[in-house]
Amino acid sequence: MRFLMIGGFLGAGKTTTLARLARHYVAAGQKVALVTNDQAYGLVDTQSLRSQGFDVGEVPGACFCCKFTDLIDTVAELSAEHRPDIILAEPVGSCTDLVSTVLRPLANLYGDDYELAPLAVLCKPEHGERILEEGHTGFSPQAAYLFLKQLEEAELIVLNKIDKLDAPKREKLLQLLSQRFPEKPIVSLSAKEGHGFEDFLGHLEGTSSLDRPAMEIDYDIYAEGEAELGWLNATVKVTGKESNASPWPLDGFVAALVETLAMDFSRVELEPGHVKVLGSSLTEEGNLVNAVANWVALGEAVELSVASNSNVEEADILINARIASDPTAIADTVASAIERVAKSSNLARELISLQHFSPARPEPTHRMTS
């Protein structure tokens, strides 16, 4: 099987990129399976990809490097059921050192089973310019360190979301990337619109160059950067009140919730890695409809990335957030936002579950430097 991993910082557009890649390979007659990864269970990315009809396995609880055996087991299960030609893998957005902790172990321990594609890393433009210029980023130096280390180990750097960039800003980012990483190929991409996709595909051909020197990384700084980005996962049931029994717009509720969270976090200048909200509901015909909204940086607009175009009577709301803040403060803000948006929409809400924590220190199962 061909194993293709797309890295990149939180909110860089990895899920959108993987979905476009999957559609391309399926259209070319190949069988595709995807593996998502994050710090806990209940991922918006997993549900969003499954809703698009893809076979998706999930490795929750820590990054691929710390859950290497789970990654192998998940791929084996997908292989037994679906016999994919290509595995598309999405690591945690704050994870780095993937060559030494994922790709080299795959090659050394399971080389007969996998062909490893070059490691592509998406550059998130919303934070790229600020971090590459080493100015104010909204993150600590430790979190910015993770962003730069991800790009350093890439075999291909991909400036994503160019549909959101005017020509001068795009050229400035490309110049900053080429100055910092002059030896690396750099391509431009809009995974959402498809601009630059053929060039991107061409660079993914071939195999990963694992004989290059291992990247030097300070795991103390790595751990501090991970811990700074508090993690939250919540599920909420939203229904119409007896006084408001008519269907209500799912897209509007999801967008309003993310916009409220963006305003609340912006008011106290807490920088997001990402905020993702998925709303799911069954229509009267039994069809599943989904709405997804995202927010990825201070000063950036909220985006309704998936529209359901549906009015519903009830919905399950899934919230994933990574914010540069204390997890308890994140949880309080999210709980307050849910209550206020439901009240303003005259809807009832029931908090089903809420997890919040600082990620633990990365402890890779394997770290192979050659």
Side-chain angles (χ1 to χ4, degrees):
M1 290 175 293
R2 187 163 174 81
F3 185 90
L4 200 168
M5 184 160 55
I6 304 293
F9 203 64
L10 302 154
K14 295 187 294 299
T15 305
T16 303
T17 302
L18 288 177
R20 182 169 287 275
L21 282 169
R23 290 193 296 270
H24 167 80
Y25 291 128
V26 169
Q30 295 178 292
K31 294 182 180 179
V32 178
L34 298 97
V35 183
T36 58
N37 176 217
D38 216 327
Q39 298 287 355
Y41 295 84
L43 307 182
V44 168
D45 292 345
T46 303
Q47 300 305 321
S48 177
L49 289 167
R50 284 176 179 163
S51 72
Q52 297 176 57
F54 300 124
D55 297 318
V56 186
E58 185 177 276
V59 178
C63 50
F64 284 148
C65 62
C66 304
K67 291 274 190 174
F68 184 81
T69 302
D70 289 9
L71 170 62
I72 295 300
D73 292 345
T74 300
V75 173
E77 184 176 343
L78 288 168
S79 302
E81 293 182 5
H82 308 291
R83 298 175 181 265
D85 302 302
I86 299 176
I87 298 289
L88 299 176
E90 177 186 358
V92 174
S94 53
C95 185
T96 187
D97 203 24
L98 294 167
V99 173
S100 292
T101 62
V102 179
L103 294 184
R104 283 200 185 94
L106 278 173
N108 287 338
L109 301 175
Y110 300 94
D112 292 338
D113 298 326
Y114 298 99
E115 177 187 80
L116 305 180
L119 174 63
V121 174
L122 306 185
C123 176
K124 179 181 180 180
E126 293 90 349
H127 291 128
E129 183 177 346
R130 288 183 274 166
I131 292 177
L132 290 165
E133 287 187 325
E134 300 180 324
H136 173 70
T137 68
F139 295 122
S140 70
Q142 292 85 351
Y145 176 84
L146 299 182
F147 183 98
L148 293 171
K149 281 295 177 182
Q150 289 178 344
L151 297 174
E152 181 184 334
E153 74 168 342
E155 293 175 86
L156 172 67
I157 294 176
V158 184
L159 176 61
N160 193 24
K161 304 185 181 182
I162 59 171
D163 54 290
K164 292 185 174 182
L165 305 175
D166 58 29
K169 190 159 189 176
R170 173 181 169 181
E171 291 307 312
K172 182 178 182 180
L173 275 165
L174 289 171
Q175 183 179 22
L176 288 169
L177 286 167
S178 63
Q179 288 173 346
R180 179 66 71 98
F181 308 104
E183 77 289 357
K184 295 185 182 296
I186 301 169
V187 299
S188 300
L189 174 70
S190 168
K192 180 180 179 182
E193 303 291 340
H195 308 309
F197 186 67
E198 292 301 322
D199 188 26
F200 173 53
L201 275 176
H203 281 82
L204 294 179
E205 296 177 358
T207 57
S208 182
S209 302
L210 299 179
D211 55 350
R212 56 188 167 134
M215 181 176 69
E216 294 183 5
I217 185 164
D218 187 322
Y219 265 74
D220 291 330
I221 298 177
Y222 184 175
E224 290 173 18
E226 273 272 41
E228 176 199 331
L229 297 163
W231 198 97
L232 175 137
N233 177 26
T235 54
V236 184
K237 173 73 76 175
V238 178
T239 58
K241 294 181 178 179
E242 291 184 3
S243 58
N244 181 34
S246 59
W248 43 274
L250 180 60
D251 297 343
F253 181 88
V254 167
L257 179 55
V258 179
E259 287 167 358
T260 301
L261 289 169
M263 287 188 293
D264 289 350
F265 287 122
S266 297
R267 190 177 299 116
V268 289
E269 297 186 340
L270 292 180
E271 187 74 52
H274 67 228
V275 174
K276 303 179 182 181
V277 174
L278 166 70
S280 301
S281 182
L282 287 175
T283 65
E284 291 182 356
E285 296 78 20
N287 299 318
L288 181 67
V289 294
N290 292 288
V292 180
N294 315 273
W295 180 56
V296 296
L298 287 173
E300 296 294 325
V302 170
E303 178 183 5
L304 184 70
S305 56
V306 177
S308 68
N309 301 311
S310 298
N311 291 332
V312 301
E313 296 181 354
E314 66 175 27
D316 295 312
I317 307 297
L318 177 59
I319 304 166
N320 295 162
R322 290 292 299 275
I323 308 289
S325 179
D326 172 71
T328 302
I330 300 171
D332 291 343
T333 301
V334 169
S336 172
I338 294 169
E339 181 178 0
R340 284 151 43 215
V341 173
K343 183 177 181 179
S344 67
S345 303
N346 196 26
L347 298 172
R349 87 284 182 267
E350 179 186 1
L351 185 62
I352 305 299
S353 67
L354 190 149
Q355 301 170 284
H356 58 285
F357 57 86
S358 293
R361 180 186 179 87
E363 298 287 352
T365 308
H366 307 284
R367 188 170 193 270
M368 300 180 179
T369 56
S370 64

